[in-house]
């Protein structure tokens, strides 16, 4: 059986194997992934088959329109974080086309409802894929444009409005 579950520190080596296969041109360190799991474990998931990591997702809150630099540690989740950021969803090719990405995105967007918007950096021409989930291009300033260059020439900053949970009742 193949299923998503919350990531643990013990999953980092398996995650790195997937990351190195999917994103050879966008390397990130073990320290970056380890920190994300420690800072916001509910936003970090792994796709597992027979104890083998075959996919992962990393996500966490950020201040609006301020995604982190590629391969950088955060130190902490900012106290003024008011936007949800999907840093990465990566699935090995042999597990694609089976609905695992949609399942993961649904799980992440359920967490994201705590925030007015969700954002991400689309790479490898995946903006049409993300459009199916309500993500669209967002205007970017000079600082964000500089960060996007780290993700490659085709990187596009996308965001979507979330249907917020109503805690008042």
């Amino acid at each position: 059986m193949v299923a998503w579950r919350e990531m643990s520190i013990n999953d980092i080596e398996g995650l790195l194997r997937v990351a190195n296969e999917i994103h050879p041109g966008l390397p990130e360190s073990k320290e970056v992934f380890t920190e994300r799991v420690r800072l916001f474990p509910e936003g970090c998931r792994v796709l597992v088959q027979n104890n083998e990591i075959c996919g992962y997702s990393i996500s966490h809150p950020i201040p609006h329109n301020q995604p982190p630099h590629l391969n950088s540690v955060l130190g902490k989740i900012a106290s003024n974080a008011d936007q949800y950021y999907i840093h990465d969803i990566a699935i090995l090719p042999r597990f694609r086309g089976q609905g695992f990405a949609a399942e993961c995105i649904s799980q992440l967007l359920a967490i994201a409802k705590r925030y007015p918007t969700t954002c991400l950096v689309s790479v490898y021409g995946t903006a049409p894929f993300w459009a199916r989930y309500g993500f669209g291009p967002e205007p970017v300033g000079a600082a964000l444009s500089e960060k996007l260059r780290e993700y490659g020439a085709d990187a596009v900053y996308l965001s979507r409005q979330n249907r917020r949970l109503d805690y008042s009742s």
Side-chain angles (χ1 to χ4, degrees):
M1 184 171 120
V2 183
W4 288 101
R5 66 164 169 76
E6 192 170 293
M7 188 184 300
S8 78
I9 298 299
N10 296 329
D11 296 318
I12 300 299
E13 291 301 326
L15 176 156
L16 287 169
R17 282 190 292 278
V18 174
N20 291 336
E21 180 175 335
I22 302 299
H23 301 303
L26 302 172
E28 293 196 274
S29 71
K30 179 179 183 176
E31 291 73 28
V32 168
F33 292 120
T34 301
E35 182 200 48
R36 297 306 195 276
V37 174
R38 286 192 175 128
L39 291 177
F40 201 74
E42 70 182 301
C44 301
R45 318 232 1 115
V46 286
L47 183 64
V48 180
Q49 180 185 49
N50 300 325
N51 294 319
E52 177 195 356
I53 306 293
C54 22
Y56 68 88
S57 68
I58 302 288
S59 63
H60 53 84
I62 61 168
H64 192 258
N65 286 356
Q66 295 179 41
H69 285 278
L70 186 65
N71 198 33
S72 66
V73 294
L74 302 175
K76 64 179 184 172
I77 299 295
S79 60
N80 65 337
D82 59 355
Q83 185 174 46
Y84 201 68
Y85 177 61
I86 299 175
H87 178 78
D88 196 7
I89 297 177
I91 299 173
L92 292 173
R94 70 182 183 272
F95 294 95
R96 293 180 187 165
Q98 301 175 50
F100 296 123
E103 181 181 350
C104 182
I105 292 166
S106 176
Q107 293 169 358
L108 297 180
L109 292 180
I111 299 167
K113 286 182 181 180
R114 300 177 204 159
Y115 303 89
T117 59
T118 299
C119 66
L120 58 89
V121 177
S122 169
V123 295
Y124 312 133
T126 57
F129 168 82
W130 289 106
R132 291 186 282 182
Y133 299 94
F135 287 90
E138 182 83 18
V140 297
L144 184 50
S145 182
E146 182 69 27
K147 284 182 186 178
L148 289 176
R149 283 190 207 106
E150 299 171 7
Y151 290 84
D154 68 341
V156 180
Y157 185 71
L158 305 175
S159 69
R160 73 183 292 270
Q161 295 292 314
N162 295 327
R163 283 180 249 134
R164 299 210 43 201
L165 296 175
D166 184 4
Y167 292 109
S168 62
S169 39

